[in-house]
Amino acid sequence: MRLCLLALLLLLATGSDVTASEKDRKPNFVLMMVDDLGIGDIGCYGNDTIRTPNIDRLAAEGVKLTQHIAAAPLCTPSRAAFHTGRYALRSGLGSTGRVQVLLFLAGSGGLPPTETTFAKRLQEQGYTTGLVGKWHLGVNCELRGDHCHHPNTHGFSYFYGLPFTLFNDCRPGEGKDVLADLQNTLWQLTLLGALALLSLVCVRVCGLVEVSVSVIVAVTCLSLLAFSVWFVPFELLMTWNCIIMRNQEVVEQPMDLDTLSQKLLGEAQGFIERNADRPFLLFLSLAHVHTPLFSSPGFAGKSRHGRYGDNVEEVDYMIGRMIETVDRLGLANNTLMYFTSDHGGHIEDADERGQKGGWNGIYKGGKAMGGWEGGIRVPGIFRWPGRLPAGRVFDTPTSLMDLYPTLTHLASATHSDRLLDGYDLMPVLEGRTERSQHEFMFHYCGAYLNAVRWHPPGSESVYKVHFFTPNFSPPGSGGCYDTKVCLCHGSHVTHHSPPIVFDLHTDPSESRPLTPDTEPRYQEVLQQTARAVEQHRATLTHSHPSDTQPDTHSPQSEPVLNQLSWEKILWRPWLQPCCGTFPFCGCTENTTSTLA
């Protein structure tokens, strides 16, 4: 009897220790981001023609945010803000000209090494951190191999994927994305140089005019120079930009899009399986649905929306596999899963085969359109069984920048050495409050403050004040179809005085501007947002807070270098990642496709 009682006590004590151990273990994080996905492309956000059962399941089993906002409407600045919890302008990634994202993998711009990402903070707390997929925040600064902007430098213990991004240049026959007008000009100069050289040679051979050899040599040199400036950086872009790296080694150059999905999914699942017994952070940053559109054979031609729909349905399949992996390993109750897009869909992107960009639902605008809602309102889904309520929906303003403080809070990383623009989301996600801490949000178009969102205390209204708007081309078209993307400066925008004001609570499509006659709080809205802008701009110029500064929403550091200047973004051969001996770069990673 005593032996039985003793055994029972030991069993209870052991069970108590296991429970305590499980309770005390830090949570895992699986973050999944799609590239260029429109909020209207998903079933749980209103699409009833593209099949997304796995993403819909994620929402049904977790929390769905319906006013989840990207900090910028383009890849590079949005992702910089996501990783750092700070507006991209603070990292030098707000553009003042036509180039608003990194254009060459061998440029020297990128996320500065002085910035702190949530991956680095979690790494300091003992997390194994991994990034699988797209980075697009730079690689090298001064020399090939210094990796000053590389994911490994910014807190990711493991990296596999695209250090750059997808461009149409990555697939022959899909056209050109990178400075297409400059490419055309350089090609024409090359042709003119060749024509001039041919004419001079013919004139000399025929004896029509005396032409010295030195002149012919000089024209030949100029022609070769023009040809090199055009051909080497631009015609070989698929080799330079479209590569796969494993940590700091190039493993495929150029990459094979037909096997990319299978590789990324396999790497993401493998990372979780290898680290199932320790706290981990995985950021799966998908190459879908950015152009050029690509899909595995099992998805080609299966959707009702052409190639774009095929891509979205393949994304859903991959998300389903990630959910299955977490559940199969028994990690669901200790893993926060998150699904989003880096910004809105690219509505101007289409060709004779159909629409290549996403649908942004009822929201006006899209990718690259500054503060218009269609370019910045994105899906936001969180699942954590046993911790977050299932099936809850919140419409309070939240931001991709909120991931930084949310993850660091959950990982018990309390120390912060800089201003943050995001807030911990757990009070909202757990249902302890229905209102986030974002009273104001600032919407940038490049380096220019485009609009301000104000959620007054005690009010359901969410006011949006636009200081300028992009000029659509053709006029009234709803997009910048002549230039393919909207720009933020000069004649490409129209400034408004007074600003245009909308109430997103009653007019989410931003179609009915408010006036003093229709909105009693009209003047208050202008005054409050003007005061908020003044306070926000003050944080962009003050000195860096001390390491012991407890207020993470205090003034920020001294101005940083512009990472998107022409000097920073243009191709530099000595910075080019290469497998093999530069410039003879090329390698293939063997794999066998297993996607459905």
Side-chain angles (χ1 to χ4, degrees):
M1 183 66 179
R2 291 180 178 178
L3 290 175
C4 292
L5 184 59
L6 180 60
L8 179 61
L9 291 173
L10 288 173
L11 181 63
L12 290 173
T14 303
S16 176
D17 289 343
V18 171
T19 302
S21 176
E22 291 177 349
K23 184 176 180 180
D24 293 340
R25 179 180 171 181
K26 293 180 179 180
N28 307 311
F29 305 108
V30 177
L31 316 179
M32 300 170 289
M33 178 179 284
V34 188
D35 199 359
D36 286 19
L37 181 73
I39 193 172
D41 292 329
I42 304 172
C44 59
Y45 282 93
N47 193 306
D48 57 5
T49 57
I50 297 180
R51 296 165 295 187
T52 57
N54 295 299
I55 300 172
D56 298 344
R57 172 194 166 191
L58 202 67
E61 295 178 356
V63 175
K64 181 176 73 172
L65 304 177
T66 58
Q67 199 173 163
H68 200 42
I69 307 299
L74 280 166
C75 302
T76 296
S78 173
R79 289 166 182 268
F82 170 72
H83 283 283
T84 64
R86 295 146 54 83
Y87 291 108
L89 190 66
R90 302 190 191 280
S91 303
L93 288 164
S95 171
T96 58
R98 60 175 288 188
V99 178
Q100 302 179 59
V101 300
L102 299 177
L103 294 182
F104 293 94
L105 183 58
S108 63
L111 187 63
T114 53
E115 281 294 334
T116 303
T117 64
F118 56 71
K120 186 175 291 185
R121 297 290 306 284
L122 266 62
Q123 194 177 54
E124 293 168 352
Q125 295 299 310
Y127 275 75
T128 301
T129 56
L131 192 164
V132 174
K134 170 177 172 174
W135 174 239
H136 205 186
L137 291 172
V139 175
N140 297 315
C141 285
E142 297 180 358
L143 296 171
R144 182 185 302 121
D146 66 28
H147 298 117
C148 69
H149 302 306
H150 191 278
N152 290 158
T153 302
H154 280 294
F156 288 100
S157 312
Y158 181 75
F159 170 65
Y160 178 91
L162 293 66
F164 197 57
T165 183
L166 281 183
F167 275 139
N168 280 325
D169 307 77
C170 293
R171 171 159 279 183
E174 292 290 343
K176 300 180 183 298
D177 279 334
V178 179
L179 303 176
D181 56 340
L182 178 59
Q183 291 191 52
N184 186 56
T185 299
L186 290 172
W187 167 239
Q188 291 177 353
L189 288 175
T190 300
L191 291 179
L192 286 174
L195 182 61
L197 178 61
L198 180 62
S199 300
L200 288 173
V201 171
C202 290
V203 166
R204 177 180 171 85
V205 170
C206 295
L208 298 177
V209 177
E210 186 176 345
V211 180
S212 67
V213 175
S214 60
V215 171
I216 294 178
V217 170
V219 173
T220 300
C221 292
L222 289 174
S223 300
L224 289 174
L225 178 62
F227 174 79
S228 299
V229 170
W230 160 69
F231 185 83
V232 176
F234 291 109
E235 287 302 300
L236 299 178
L237 261 182
M238 188 167 71
T239 297
W240 305 143
N241 279 354
C242 310
I243 72 173
I244 295 176
M245 297 182 78
R246 186 187 304 277
N247 292 321
Q248 298 174 4
E249 177 187 2
V250 179
V251 296
E252 189 160 271
Q253 188 173 19
M255 61 185 167
D256 181 0
L257 294 184
D258 293 333
T259 60
L260 181 60
S261 298
Q262 183 258 335
K263 290 176 180 177
L264 296 184
L265 179 58
E267 287 285 339
Q269 291 177 300
F271 180 87
I272 294 176
E273 291 166 352
R274 292 193 304 272
N275 296 287
D277 60 348
R278 72 193 77 180
F280 67 82
L281 160 73
L282 171 64
F283 177 34
L284 174 58
S285 178
L286 296 174
H288 290 82
V289 289
H290 201 292
T291 53
L293 296 175
F294 67 99
S295 56
S296 301
F299 297 92
K302 297 297 179 65
S303 81
R304 295 165 58 182
H305 288 278
R307 293 188 302 152
Y308 185 82
D310 297 344
N311 270 245
V312 176
E313 292 187 1
E314 183 170 6
V315 165
D316 182 75
Y317 168 80
M318 298 173 74
I319 300 303
R321 293 291 299 274
M322 296 301 296
I323 298 172
E324 184 275 332
T325 301
V326 169
D327 292 353
R328 170 173 53 83
L329 296 172
L331 301 174
N333 290 343
N334 196 45
T335 301
L336 176 64
M337 299 190 75
Y338 170 66
F339 174 85
T340 192
S341 175
D342 58 351
H343 51 71
H346 192 181
I347 63 175
E348 298 100 337
D349 205 351
D351 60 18
E352 65 280 359
R353 294 169 291 181
Q355 181 67 22
K356 298 194 292 182
W359 181 50
N360 300 313
I362 64 173
Y363 304 108
K364 187 172 186 176
K367 176 179 179 177
M369 295 193 197
W372 286 126
E373 206 70 1
I376 55 177
R377 191 179 291 222
V378 296
I381 301 173
F382 292 82
R383 188 192 82 152
W384 190 351
R387 183 74 181 263
L388 303 185
R392 290 292 298 272
V393 179
F394 293 99
D395 190 46
T396 185
T398 58
S399 171
L400 267 66
M401 296 184 293
D402 295 336
L403 266 292
Y404 183 113
T406 302
L407 299 184
T408 54
H409 165 73
L410 290 170
S412 301
T414 57
H415 175 72
S416 180
D417 65 348
R418 62 199 57 230
L419 179 150
L420 297 180
D421 296 303
Y423 295 92
D424 180 12
L425 281 175
M426 289 308 292
V428 172
L429 298 179
E430 292 181 319
R432 288 181 274 134
T433 179
E434 294 191 353
R435 184 186 176 96
S436 75
Q437 292 179 259
H438 288 285
E439 182 178 353
F440 295 96
M441 282 188 186
F442 305 93
H443 306 303
Y444 280 90
C445 188
Y448 305 104
L449 184 58
N450 186 183
V452 177
R453 182 184 308 249
W454 180 40
H455 189 193
S459 173
E460 292 184 336
S461 291
V462 178
Y463 297 104
K464 176 93 83 67
V465 177
H466 288 262
F467 303 116
F468 65 85
T469 51
N471 295 330
F472 292 150
S473 56
S477 63
C480 299
Y481 291 90
D482 291 347
T483 55
K484 297 303 182 184
V485 293
C486 293
L487 300 176
C488 306
H489 64 287
S491 61
H492 301 286
V493 299
T494 296
H495 291 266
H496 303 286
S497 182
I500 302 176
V501 183
F502 300 96
D503 184 352
L504 298 176
H505 177 67
T506 57
D507 180 26
S509 60
E510 297 176 282
S511 59
R512 301 188 303 273
L514 302 177
T515 68
D517 296 330
T518 60
E519 174 53 59
R521 302 185 70 173
Y522 180 84
Q523 293 299 333
E524 181 188 1
V525 171
L526 295 183
Q527 292 168 2
Q528 290 287 350
T529 52
R531 187 177 299 115
V533 168
E534 182 180 358
Q535 294 173 351
H536 170 66
R537 283 179 170 159
T539 71
L540 301 174
T541 57
H542 287 181
S543 61
H544 196 292
S546 68
D547 289 343
T548 58
Q549 173 60 259
D551 180 8
T552 58
H553 293 83
S554 60
Q556 102 106 17
S557 64
E558 63 276 359
V560 296
L561 290 175
N562 180 4
Q563 299 293 318
L564 294 174
S565 65
W566 285 108
E567 177 189 1
K568 291 280 190 180
I569 62 101
L570 289 179
W571 185 69
R572 299 183 181 191
W574 58 92
L575 297 182
Q576 179 63 52
C578 178
C579 60
T581 302
F582 183 84
F584 306 105
C585 307
C587 54
T588 301
E589 187 178 33
N590 294 326
T591 186
T592 301
S593 179
T594 59
L595 283 185

